[in-house]
Amino acid sequence: MSVKDFDIQHFHTDKIGYLEYYDKVFSPIKNNVKKMLELGIYHGGSLQMWEKFFTKADIIGVDIEKIDVPNSGRVKIYQGDQKDTSLLNKITGDCAPEGFDIIIDDASHFGKETFISFIYLFKNSLKSKGVYVIEDWGTGYWPHFPDGRNITLDKHHVSYHLHTDTDYDFKQKGLVSKGPFLNNRRFQSHDYGMVGLIKQIIDELAIEQATLPQYTNKESTYKTFIENILITPGQCFIFKK
Ligand SMILES: C[S@@+](CC[C@H](N)C(=O)[O-])C[C@H]1O[C@@H](n2cnc3c(N)ncnc32)[C@H](O)[C@@H]1O
């Protein structure tokens, strides 16, 4: 059975738009998954869906609210804040001392909190070859979201001058017009919130290039834990080495 085959209406969750990529990434590993952690439970529908999909796995959920989820016994719930690293440490020790196979962050969708959970869990609690998913990173483009930014170019932004001063005529070359990306503009959101975080994670992926000894005067390059990244408009899958 694939995630897509699920009668999603049966579960009280908003994951319907995300099943295509969950199917692509999780179906090949489904029988090997023993431990899964999801930050953000809400009504508990996603935990029940994962419990049904990963038939051999313990499913652990964390939420800042107190939430009970009926289940068959393989689901365990903790109440607490996703940025409380002592709680994350306790959950890892209690439930997955050898590490989680999959961790999904579907909790606050704030850059700072998501960053703290990611930094802690990716390094300390995710198995080698494990998958970490950050959902809903597009909140970083919403101007009404507390740490979101819209795409209006800020004149004080250094790249405004870089782009407007360029003598390369994007319009004349026919490279402009279809979408905001093709306007050759850097979005403010790149420096804030969830979009800023995703961009930093991309920098981390490429950090070995940025820290080559000839550029840093240090003896060795920085080694990243990230193997590769798959990004969709709503999900960022980060694969651990
Ligand atoms: C989008 S809902 C989760 C939906 C659920 N994963 C699903 O797919 O059905 C977000 C949840 O994150 C919780 N949350 C918000 N901020 C949090 C935080 N700082 N730490 C832990 N949970 C948080 C909210 O209480 C809410 O239940």
Side-chain angles (χ1 to χ4, degrees):
M1 187 191 297
S2 95
V3 181
K4 276 192 292 188
D5 296 330
F6 279 171
D7 174 11
I8 190 89
Q9 308 306 335
H10 182 71
F11 302 104
H12 200 154
T13 172
D14 59 2
K15 287 211 177 347
I16 186 142
Y18 294 164
L19 296 185
E20 180 181 353
Y21 276 90
Y22 276 137
D23 186 30
K24 280 190 174 96
V25 176
F26 290 165
S27 286
I29 59 171
K30 134 186 224 293
N31 291 325
N32 301 328
V33 173
K34 303 275 185 306
K35 306 278 178 181
M36 175 183 203
L37 172 66
E38 182 161 16
L39 307 177
I41 297 173
Y42 199 37
H43 294 295
S46 59
L47 297 185
Q48 293 172 315
M49 184 179 84
W50 299 130
E51 184 191 31
K52 191 167 173 198
F53 183 72
F54 295 110
T55 53
K56 298 174 184 159
D58 293 331
I59 314 292
I60 318 302
V62 184
D63 204 286
I64 203 157
E65 305 290 343
K66 181 162 172 36
I67 295 169
D68 284 325
V69 179
N71 69 88
S72 71
R74 282 189 290 114
V75 173
K76 188 168 180 185
I77 287 173
Y78 288 82
Q79 184 181 7
D81 194 319
Q82 73 170 118
K83 62 182 179 300
D84 178 354
T85 53
S86 56
L87 173 68
L88 302 178
N89 184 43
K90 175 175 166 41
I91 293 170
T92 306
D94 286 356
C95 306
E98 286 168 15
F100 290 97
D101 301 279
I102 295 172
I103 299 175
I104 297 177
D105 182 349
D106 187 20
S108 70
H109 306 311
F110 290 132
K112 186 176 168 193
E113 301 183 2
T114 308
F115 179 67
I116 292 169
S117 306
F118 174 72
I119 287 290
Y120 184 82
L121 291 171
F122 193 82
K123 190 167 178 193
N124 300 301
S125 309
L126 187 67
K127 275 186 195 160
S128 169
K129 302 296 171 194
V131 189
Y132 196 103
V133 187
I134 296 176
E135 281 195 15
D136 296 331
W137 63 277
T139 57
Y141 292 113
W142 298 348
H144 68 274
F145 207 72
D147 65 355
R149 293 290 185 281
N150 64 16
I151 62 169
T152 312
L153 201 61
D154 178 351
K155 289 196 178 187
H156 300 294
H157 200 291
V158 66
S159 62
Y160 177 87
H161 299 287
L162 289 177
H163 292 322
T164 51
D165 290 351
T166 181
D167 56 6
Y168 188 86
D169 190 342
F170 284 83
K171 259 201 182 106
Q172 199 206 3
K173 306 262 182 205
L175 294 176
V176 181
S177 80
K178 290 228 169 79
F181 265 122
L182 298 180
N183 281 328
N184 187 30
R185 299 190 312 188
R186 179 187 164 98
F187 299 165
Q188 293 179 74
S189 49
H190 285 198
D191 293 329
Y192 298 94
M194 293 292 270
V195 180
L197 170 61
I198 298 300
K199 182 174 166 284
Q200 269 192 287
I201 294 173
I202 293 171
D203 290 340
E204 169 73 19
L205 173 70
I207 202 71
E208 289 177 26
Q209 296 303 314
T211 59
L212 289 171
Q214 58 266 45
Y215 304 134
T216 59
N217 291 328
K218 294 194 175 140
E219 280 179 15
S220 58
T221 56
Y222 175 87
K223 299 284 177 211
T224 179
F225 290 97
I226 300 176
E227 171 95 31
N228 56 44
I229 304 174
L230 168 65
I231 303 178
T232 78
Q235 294 149 294
C236 178
F237 296 85
I238 305 137
F239 299 87
K240 188 169 175 176
K241 279 189 175 169

